[in-house]
Amino acid sequence: MILALLAAFQVTTADSLPRVTLAEALSQGVRLDPDYVQAIGSIGTAEWGRRAALITLVVPSVTASSDYSFFSRDQFNIGTGQPARRNASGRIDARLEIFAGGRKLAELSRARAELEGAQANEVLTRYTSALFIEGTYYDVLGGRELLEVARGRLRRAEEGFTIARARVLSGAAVQSDSLQLLLELNSARVGLLRSEVALRSARLDLGRRIGRRGAVDAAPLDTVALPDLPYSLPQLVSLALESGPEYRVARANERQADAVVRGRRGSYLPTIALSGNIAAFDENWFPNALTRRTGVISLSLPLWDNGQRELNVARARASRDVARAIREDLERGAEADVTLAYDTFITARATLDLDRNALLVARENFRVQETRYRAGASTILDLLEAQDQLTEAEANVVRSRYAIRLAIAGLEAVLGRRLLNDRTEP
């Protein structure tokens, strides 16, 4: 039954699958992430908002209108000065606020802060997406190596079962030895099946993230050990506060909220506007019988609007206070966030060294126990324990090696920048 399942779930060989490098996966996958697409759209929207706020300072709003009327009786036509049953008019109106209580400048400041926040959010989204893509990429590479670990376990179980059967037949061991190793053999087959399923799932997930249907394999990475980080922990904390995208977004949001407060306060000041229009009248379409030009300088001072002005100011202040509290909280937590990511990297490197030493010990222990069991100097339980320790040690080395790379990716996501020159930019 187990052999049938193994045949049914046989993992497609890597040679028959399309293969991508990490650089290709990042370049293809990041731009397909819905969050990143939304972040790019937000930059375009914010850029147009900044342009509109800048144009409003010097360019008047212009409106053109026209109408053509029919009457059942003759009406006086202002264009011809004669009674007529038709009346046509057209006008162009222009209005420019010369002084708006600082609201225009406040809106320009808000639009600029929104653009800065959108750009910082694009960096944050790009590196966050890259972190998930790298995690999936390493799942494929690690899954492939863990599959080899599972195959090694199955091979040792088969060899052990053969040895046990021979010793039982020769009378050197009891029947329970072969039964114990038969159980281990079946467990190894199930473990191999699980490894194949996990690798298949990881390859399909990688294909989805980079926009391809079906499974995609990952190209092997350079096996050279990664160098030390070029910055100390205090320097990393300073970099995060200076250029970390999450902190930049928080500061931009606070500036936006502060600009809104200034704009709301401007409603207490008068507005001075310059407006003008050109109007034409006739009884025919495209009127040209009479043309009038008008210029107006207006001054308006809002006195009382049933408390709506005060309500808007209070709401803007509350929003600004919330944005400020968020920014301050993030900055206070920057050291903890960076330290956690940094310690994760340091711990992963130390764990890899420990796991490599543990693997050497497990291999030697298995060799000794296998030799002792062949000679009848140890029990089957000692051999099985040595096999389990060796399998676990091999798997731990695989996991630790890719945990280091994922820890670096997590630290880079906090900083919004690559730390090592050989790291691919998303």
Side-chain angles (χ1 to χ4, degrees), residues 264-297:
R264 296 299 188 187
R265 287 173 177 170
S267 61
Y268 287 92
L269 300 177
T271 299
I272 302 175
L274 176 64
S275 60
N277 68 74
I278 300 176
F281 305 92
D282 204 341
E283 64 175 330
N284 299 316
W285 196 257
F286 301 110
N288 58 10
L290 176 65
T291 301
R292 288 182 176 177
R293 294 174 175 83
T294 306
V296 179
I297 297 179

Side-chain angles (χ1 to χ4, degrees), residues 41-51 111-112 114-116 118:
S42 297
I43 291 180
T45 302
E47 176 63 31
W48 269 110
R50 184 192 65 84
R51 292 176 185 173
R112 286 173 174 171
E114 182 184 10
L115 178 59
E116 293 175 10

Side-chain angles (χ1 to χ4, degrees), residues 232-242 247 334-336 338-339 415:
S232 63
L233 179 57
Q235 290 174 326
L236 291 172
V237 174
S238 298
L239 284 174
L241 289 172
E242 177 185 351
Y247 311 104
E335 184 173 0
V338 176
T339 301
L415 301 176

Side-chain angles (χ1 to χ4, degrees), residues 80-345:
T80 61
Q82 301 294 328
R85 293 192 178 187
R86 294 175 299 174
N87 184 24
S89 65
R91 59 187 296 134
I92 297 177
D93 296 279
R95 176 182 172 85
L96 175 64
E97 291 184 342
I98 301 175
F99 178 75
R103 292 192 298 273
K104 287 188 176 183
L105 293 177
E107 174 59 22
L108 179 59
S109 298
R110 189 207 63 78
R112 286 173 174 171
E114 182 184 10
L115 178 59
E116 293 175 10
Q119 292 170 341
N121 185 61
E122 181 272 333
V123 177
L124 174 62
T125 307
R126 173 156 44 94
Y127 274 88
T128 302
S129 177
L131 176 61
F132 287 115
I133 293 172
E134 283 197 59
T136 304
Y137 194 90
Y138 300 150
D139 285 344
V140 174
L141 294 179
R144 205 161 58 205
E145 295 185 29
L146 290 175
L147 180 61
E148 293 302 318
V149 170
R151 287 171 177 166
R153 178 190 178 187
L154 178 60
R155 183 172 59 254
R156 290 190 294 268
E158 290 173 343
E159 293 173 355
F161 181 71
T162 301
I163 296 171
R165 288 293 299 167
R167 295 191 72 234
V168 169
L169 293 176
S170 66
V174 296
Q175 182 70 24
S176 61
D177 283 12
S178 61
L179 294 177
Q180 289 278 2
L181 281 169
L182 178 60
L183 180 60
E184 167 63 16
L185 178 60
N186 289 332
S187 297
R189 288 170 176 167
V190 173
L192 178 61
L193 176 62
R194 289 173 177 170
S195 298
E196 290 178 342
V197 172
L199 179 56
R200 182 197 300 271
S201 177
R203 284 171 170 169
L204 289 170
D205 193 22
L206 179 60
R208 179 185 66 84
R209 288 192 180 276
I210 65 175
R212 300 190 185 183
R213 293 187 177 275
V216 174
D217 197 31
L221 296 173
D222 191 351
T223 57
V224 177
L226 293 173
D228 293 331
L229 297 179
Y231 303 101
S232 63
L233 179 57
Q235 290 174 326
L236 291 172
V237 174
S238 298
L239 284 174
L241 289 172
E242 177 185 351
S243 60
E246 186 175 10
Y247 311 104
R248 289 172 55 198
V249 169
R251 289 194 291 268
N253 289 339
E254 183 184 6
R255 289 197 299 273
Q256 284 189 68
D258 188 63
V260 172
V261 172
R262 296 199 306 271
R264 296 299 188 187
R265 287 173 177 170
S267 61
Y268 287 92
L269 300 177
T271 299
I272 302 175
L274 176 64
S275 60
N277 68 74
I278 300 176
F281 305 92
D282 204 341
E283 64 175 330
N284 299 316
W285 196 257
F286 301 110
N288 58 10
L290 176 65
T291 301
R292 288 182 176 177
R293 294 174 175 83
T294 306
V296 179
I297 297 179
S298 60
L299 172 66
S300 63
L301 176 62
L303 298 177
W304 177 248
D305 60 352
N306 295 323
Q308 292 302 309
R309 187 169 44 184
E310 288 71 17
L311 178 60
N312 291 333
V313 171
R315 286 173 174 170
R317 284 175 177 170
S319 298
R320 181 194 59 188
D321 293 343
V322 171
R324 179 177 299 166
I326 292 174
R327 189 263 305 167
E328 292 175 348
D329 180 68
L330 284 175
E331 290 181 348
R332 286 194 302 268
E335 184 173 0
D337 295 338
V338 176
T339 301
L340 177 60
Y342 180 82
D343 289 345
T344 300
F345 167 73

Side-chain angles (χ1 to χ4, degrees), residues 35-45 118 122:
D35 292 335
Y36 183 71
V37 174
Q38 182 179 7
I40 291 296
S42 297
I43 291 180
T45 302
E122 181 272 333

Side-chain angles (χ1 to χ4, degrees), residues 17-30:
L17 291 176
R19 175 174 290 188
V20 295
T21 63
L22 179 58
E24 293 171 341
L26 290 174
S27 63
Q28 296 174 21
V30 169

